[in-house]
Amino acid sequence: MKMKTMLTFTAILICTHVYCQKINFISIELGFNQINLAYSRSVSSLPVYVGMEVGIANQDINNAFDDIVWNTKIGYFFLQKKKTALSVNLFGGVYVVENDYYKATTPVIGCGLDFSRFLGKKQKHSINLGVDFQYGKRDYREVFESEYVRVESIGSFSVIPVKISIGYSFRF
Amino acid sequence: MLTVILMAASCEKEELNYSQGDLKLKIETGKGWNHDFPLFLGLSKKNPPQFAVWIEDTNGQYITTLYVSSKIATEGWIMNGGNRRKEALPYWCHQRGKQYADGLYLPTKDKPLTDGITGATPKSDKEMLVKLNTIFYPIIIKAEFNHSVDFNDFYTKDVPEGSQYYSGGKMGSGQPALVYSGILNSSTNKVTLKLIGHSSPDGSSGNLYPDLSEITTAREIVKQVVVETVIQ
């Protein structure tokens, strides 16, 4: 349900803003255990952008890409050349874990550094490299009950603190 | 705004709420709880141990599992090349007595543990609330702990298969799993589990070996396991 809500909300925002700004970019990012789809747009004439990303990831105990990632992001291009750009960003969001044993909606904050290499004459395409440092920890309750016993325990889920990704962006 | 709301909603604190007669089971970690596991290029990672906690009757018959760490419960090993690590917690596996299609007593990815709870092994102390539904005192509570690659002068990485010290080779267990046990009856409010032996080094049987003279650093995985009855 949460995944559907997030995807719907993201789709609405993307559709709403696609033609509103001069620079928009849609990106796909591949990390070791995470795949994100991101939408960002520039803020007026400043070298600043805001965006959001949704993704699927695999950091809990079931080794399946069924965790949900939702982040909003603000970034600043501190170095822009004709073919390359470097930006830093701050982000916050949630990392939703749900498996057969527990659920944990984990708040996440972090910062990142992105490098972009533009391609093509109109530079509508770019290859991106990113490294994010993030913090997110959530305690969760586990309960097991059988005819013999009821067991309760508090577990703790933490997101992996460093995320390295490679991606592709399309600007329009 | 939605992100802020979601983040705020996910910051709720969780805690255990005990009632009269509940059991509080606490695993206090020792200085060997987190152990170096080699990765690549000389890098290593601090790994917590695999462990299981369960209840038996006074005849030594398995009743139920309380907790098992997730790699055992779900066959959650990464890049293990098909090695199911039968040497990890063999005593618990055999006491539980559930055999799977490959002849081992370990839960699989397709048929993970369902009779107990699991999670990633905690990096520090672990506490559990236990309510006994249809189990009556006296009961025996047992726990088994083991690290991978916890080698010492006896259980070395190059011991040949077939030796009494063989524990799975260079990525195997090293020192075998250690088993702790304590009896809780209706007049006992608190019991500290005692170290009663080690498991089969290569995981081929569910035997318990009381001679601990060749066990060294594995004794430091756990400081103590205490079970107490909550009195309010």
Side-chain angles (χ1 to χ4, degrees):
Chain A
M1 187 63 187
K2 281 177 182 168
M3 181 182 179
K4 282 183 182 172
T5 306
M6 289 175 184
L7 290 174
T8 306
F9 190 72
T10 304
I12 290 169
L13 282 171
I14 289 173
C15 295
T16 305
H17 293 293
V18 158
Y19 299 108
C20 296
Q21 300 293 324
K22 286 184 178 176
I23 301 176
N24 302 273
F25 38 105
I26 288 179
S27 310
I28 184 164
E29 299 169 353
L30 304 175
F32 175 66
N33 51 15
Q34 190 165 322
I35 301 168
N36 284 350
L37 184 64
Y39 165 72
S40 304
R41 64 183 178 124
S42 61
V43 178
S44 65
S45 59
L46 298 171
V48 173
Y49 63 92
V50 294
M52 68 190 62
E53 59 189 20
V54 292
I56 54 173
N58 169 22
Q59 290 189 25
D60 67 340
I61 63 171
N62 65 359
N63 292 327
F65 275 86
D66 59 359
D67 308 340
I68 305 300
V69 180
W70 163 280
N71 283 323
T72 54
K73 182 184 279 191
I74 181 166
Y76 171 70
F77 285 102
F78 66 92
L79 183 66
Q80 280 185 295
K81 293 187 175 179
K82 189 176 178 183
K83 288 283 188 184
T84 58
L86 272 172
S87 68
V88 290
N89 63 72
L90 297 172
F91 62 88
V94 289
Y95 186 106
V96 183
V97 174
E98 185 168 351
N99 56 51
D100 291 341
Y101 301 95
Y102 59 85
K103 298 176 185 176
T105 302
T106 310
V108 176
I109 55 169
C111 61
L113 176 68
D114 289 314
F115 168 78
S116 299
R117 170 75 180 177
F118 301 113
L119 306 171
K121 286 182 181 176
K122 294 183 179 178
Q123 300 179 353
K124 283 192 170 184
H125 309 275
S126 67
I127 299 293
N128 313 311
L129 291 172
V131 56
D132 290 335
F133 302 93
Q134 57 185 0
Y135 174 79
K137 185 179 178 186
R138 174 78 161 109
D139 289 345
Y140 57 84
R141 178 182 297 273
E142 282 189 282
V143 178
F144 165 72
E145 182 145 22
S146 70
E147 61 173 306
Y148 300 116
V149 288
R150 177 182 172 87
V151 188
E152 294 182 28
S153 176
I154 306 297
S156 185
F157 171 79
S158 297
V159 296
I160 293 174
V162 180
K163 186 182 74 178
I164 296 172
S165 60
I166 185 168
Y168 161 81
S169 291
F170 175 69
R171 292 187 168 213
F172 52 95
Chain B
M1 180 60 81
L2 179 64
T3 303
V4 173
I5 293 169
L6 281 170
M7 288 177 74
S10 60
C11 289
E12 186 186 345
K13 178 84 175 162
E14 295 281 1
E15 56 186 29
L16 297 174
N17 298 311
Y18 290 92
S19 305
Q20 172 79 22
D22 290 347
L23 300 180
K24 180 192 281 188
L25 191 154
K26 188 167 186 182
I27 298 168
E28 295 181 30
T29 59
K31 63 181 182 182
W33 184 260
N34 293 310
H35 179 72
D36 284 335
F37 184 84
L39 296 174
F40 49 84
L41 300 174
L43 299 174
S44 62
K45 176 178 181 283
K46 290 281 185 191
N47 265 359
Q50 298 303 307
F51 72 92
V53 185
W54 70 100
I55 296 177
E56 294 179 1
D57 65 21
T58 50
N59 295 318
Q61 296 298 307
Y62 170 91
I63 298 176
T64 184
T65 296
L66 302 178
Y67 189 94
V68 186
S69 46
S70 62
K71 284 187 169 59
I72 296 291
T74 66
E75 198 191 349
W77 309 102
I78 298 171
M79 293 188 286
N80 60 333
N83 180 359
R84 300 237 287 123
R85 299 265 168 89
K86 64 178 182 178
E87 72 280 4
L89 300 176
Y91 186 71
W92 168 76
C93 286
H94 284 80
Q95 289 295 101
R96 180 168 172 257
K98 184 169 183 181
Q99 194 170 25
Y100 293 82
D102 60 0
L104 299 180
Y105 290 83
L106 283 161
T108 65
K109 279 188 173 68
D110 296 335
K111 293 181 178 175
L113 178 94
T114 53
D115 50 341
I117 60 176
T118 188
T121 311
K123 303 272 185 184
S124 56
D125 297 354
K126 178 79 179 170
E127 190 174 310
M128 283 171 247
L129 181 161
V130 182
K131 289 178 193 289
L132 302 180
N133 289 340
T134 57
I135 304 174
F136 301 100
Y137 294 114
I139 57 172
I140 297 176
I141 296 182
K142 285 185 177 173
E144 184 177 24
F145 298 86
N146 193 13
H147 267 306
S148 296
V149 300
D150 192 10
F151 300 106
N152 67 7
D153 291 342
F154 302 97
Y155 298 94
T156 60
K157 64 179 72 174
D158 51 3
V159 172
E161 198 166 350
S163 161
Q164 63 171 320
Y165 297 111
Y166 180 76
S167 63
K170 66 178 182 179
M171 296 304 285
S173 172
Q175 294 169 77
L178 298 186
V179 180
Y180 296 75
S181 175
I183 298 178
L184 201 63
N185 56 50
S186 54
S187 62
T188 312
N189 291 331
K190 187 173 181 178
V191 63
T192 301
L193 306 197
K194 287 188 168 56
L195 177 59
I196 59 168
H198 71 76
S199 310
S200 163
D202 66 358
S204 59
S205 76
N207 294 341
L208 186 68
Y209 302 84
D211 180 3
L212 295 166
S213 60
E214 292 162 343
I215 304 298
T216 54
T217 54
R219 294 169 185 264
E220 298 171 346
I221 296 173
V222 178
K223 185 178 177 186
Q224 60 177 1
V225 182
V226 179
V227 186
E228 60 183 304
T229 307
V230 174
I231 299 170
Q232 293 180 325

